[in-house]
């Protein structure tokens, strides 16, 4: 077994060898604590039949732990300067392929068909670049990829919003967007001290396990999410006022909105953050005819 890349001394050596300078704009905060990496990998429940998609391998700290436990790892890295470093640090592992691409522009489905056709199970595992955590997660969920789920590190606040329960301050449209597709759970809090350079925010690891079907069945997903976003428009407003202010043409449709709320058994004075995902679905079905 090779010495872990993620130890502080080995990381320092690698960075010095290549004269690597961190780009803050790419969210480059590398992990330097092998125990944290082992725990992340444990939460992903990998086997020799699992294929892993990693976003942002950096110098390979997490990648090598994944390579040791999975059948294959495909890692997307945007920063060209890291490619020769990864070729060096990951040379002991024949089951890793690094793709030089912005994950937000990648055709992940095609990469899965080409590179992960022979695995039985696919997980996304990553220490995400913090400036784009939400777009990356939403892309991977809305692309409807054949993945079991994701175990990813991100800002603590964002993890809390994704895993929030109705009626809490963190519950909002991001919660519904994520929980529509997945069962979400924050599995670990991570201190700033295990990264180099130290980030300005606290971190957490979230596990998102994909539901077989979305949490609720709706006639039109876009409209469902329009209703959700409108309901959280201004947090202090009642659901009635938010829907009137934030649904297109809502101001002229007070009666129809009141009727839809009544039919869905939702008190118009409630606030958006108290509605369950099932109640949002019921409401959006009742509003759909009026607004479509
Ligand atoms: N996995 C490494 C670790 O844990 O030490 C590095 C994680 S670092 C937080 C984020 C990584 O994502 C960096 O290597 C960065 O260059 C890369 N990255 C940033 N934006 C990206 C994007 N849009 N697509 C792919 N990789 C990206």
């Amino acid at each position: 077994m090779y010495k872990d890349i993620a130890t502080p001394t080995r990381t320092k050596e690698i960075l010095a060898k290549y004269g690597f300078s961190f780009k803050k704009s790419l969210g480059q905060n590398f992990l330097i604590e092998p125990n944290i990496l082992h725990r992340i990998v444990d939460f992903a429940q990998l086997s020799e039949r699992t294929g892993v998609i990693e976003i942002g391998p950096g110098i390979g700290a997490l990648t090598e732990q994944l390579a040791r436990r999975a059948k294959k790892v495909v890692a997307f890295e945007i920063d060209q300067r890291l490619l020769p470093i990864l070729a060096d640090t990951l040379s002991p592992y024949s089951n890793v392929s690094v793709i030089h691409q912005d994950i937000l522009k990648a055709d992940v489905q095609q990469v899965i068909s080409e590179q992960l056709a022979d695995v039985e199970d696919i997980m996304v595992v990553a220490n995400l670049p913090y400036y784009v955590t939400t777009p990356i997660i939403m892309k991977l969920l809305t692309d409807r990829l054949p993945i079991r789920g994701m175990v990813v590190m991100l800002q603590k606040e964002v993890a809390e919003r994704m895993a929030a329960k109705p009626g809490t301050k963190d519950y909002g449209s991001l919660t519904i967007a994520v929980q529509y597709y997945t069962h979400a759970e924050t599995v670990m809090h991570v201190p700033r001290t295990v990264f180099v350079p130290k980030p300005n925010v606290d971190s957490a690891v979230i596990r998102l396990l994909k539901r077989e079907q979305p949490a609720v069945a709706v006639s039109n997903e876009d409209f469902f999410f329009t209703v959700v976003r409108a309901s959280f428009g201004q947090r202090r407003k009642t659901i009635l006022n938010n829907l009137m202010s934030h649904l297109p043409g809502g101001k002229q449709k007070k009666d129809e909105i009141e009727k839809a709320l009544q039919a869905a058994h939702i008190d118009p004075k409630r606030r958006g953050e108290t509605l369950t995902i099932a109640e949002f679905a019921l409401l959006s079905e009742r509003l759909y005819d009026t607004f479509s």
Side-chain angles (χ1 to χ4, degrees):
M1 188 80 65
Y2 297 86
K3 208 170 125 195
D4 286 339
I5 296 169
T7 61
T9 36
R10 176 110 195 269
T11 299
K12 219 192 241 175
E13 274 165 26
I14 296 166
L15 297 174
K17 177 174 172 190
Y18 289 91
F20 184 81
S21 53
F22 293 100
K23 270 197 189 153
K24 212 175 166 192
S25 62
L26 291 179
Q28 291 179 337
N29 301 98
F30 295 171
L31 272 164
I32 49 162
E33 173 50 78
N35 287 330
I36 299 271
L37 290 164
H38 297 155
R39 289 183 62 198
I40 294 174
V41 178
D42 285 346
F43 284 122
Q45 294 179 302
L46 308 179
S47 80
E48 64 285 355
R49 295 183 300 278
T50 310
V52 174
I53 298 173
E54 186 191 0
I55 296 112
I59 59 169
L62 175 58
T63 325
E64 82 168 344
Q65 304 295 339
L66 295 167
R68 287 177 188 163
R69 303 264 288 272
K71 177 167 183 156
K72 179 131 202 241
V73 184
V74 179
F76 290 88
E77 176 54 62
I78 199 171
D79 188 349
Q80 186 158 21
R81 301 172 306 151
L82 289 165
L83 302 190
I85 306 181
L86 287 164
D88 177 5
T89 58
L90 297 176
S91 62
Y93 306 96
S94 58
N95 59 344
V96 177
S97 81
V98 175
I99 301 180
H100 176 217
Q101 211 172 7
D102 177 345
I103 186 69
L104 293 174
K105 297 191 181 140
D107 184 343
V108 183
Q109 179 58 65
Q110 192 180 336
V111 170
I112 289 175
S113 314
E114 286 169 6
Q115 303 217 30
L116 295 175
D118 58 344
V119 302
E120 284 175 23
D121 159 58
I122 301 176
M123 276 302 271
V124 172
V125 186
N127 170 18
L128 290 173
Y130 287 179
Y131 73 108
V132 277
T133 45
T134 304
I136 292 174
I137 290 175
M138 289 319 298
K139 174 195 161 89
L140 297 174
L141 291 178
T142 54
D143 278 359
R144 312 257 166 153
L145 303 170
I147 58 174
R148 173 159 52 91
M150 308 187 203
V151 173
V152 291
M153 173 108 70
L154 66 178
Q155 305 95 305
K156 186 165 150 263
E157 288 71 22
V158 180
E160 278 163 1
R161 282 163 55 206
M162 290 183 174
K165 301 242 177 333
T168 62
K169 72 169 179 23
D170 294 319
Y171 187 73
S173 48
L174 181 64
T175 317
I176 308 281
V178 167
Q179 295 187 16
Y180 178 75
Y181 297 104
T182 70
H183 297 280
E185 186 190 358
T186 301
V187 289
M188 178 164 60
H189 288 147
V190 181
R192 299 173 196 205
T193 47
V194 300
F195 300 90
V196 54
K198 237 189 258 177
N200 297 325
V201 292
D202 288 319
S203 302
V205 174
I206 194 165
R207 178 166 57 192
L208 305 174
L209 293 177
K210 250 189 50 201
R211 297 174 187 271
E212 276 182 27
Q213 301 292 332
V216 286
V218 292
S219 308
N220 182 310
E221 279 183 4
D222 288 342
F223 183 70
F224 168 71
F225 287 115
T226 302
V227 169
V228 169
R229 279 191 298 273
S231 305
F232 288 106
Q234 282 154 283
R235 292 189 80 95
R236 286 178 190 192
K237 281 193 176 182
T238 63
I239 182 123
L240 173 62
N241 284 337
N242 264 330
L243 292 172
M244 283 174 60
S245 310
H246 299 287
L247 281 180
K251 290 220 167 44
Q252 290 80 49
K253 294 192 173 164
K254 184 172 186 214
D255 287 352
E256 290 90 332
I257 296 173
E258 278 179 331
K259 270 195 201 122
L261 284 163
Q262 197 177 20
H265 306 290
I266 296 166
D267 183 337
K269 293 200 193 69
R270 280 173 66 183
R271 293 178 207 286
E273 68 254 33
T274 69
L275 268 66
T276 62
I277 193 161
E279 287 179 308
F280 277 118
L282 216 54
L283 177 61
S284 103
E285 292 306 285
R286 297 294 180 173
L287 287 167
Y288 187 48
D289 287 342
T290 308
F291 284 88
S292 59

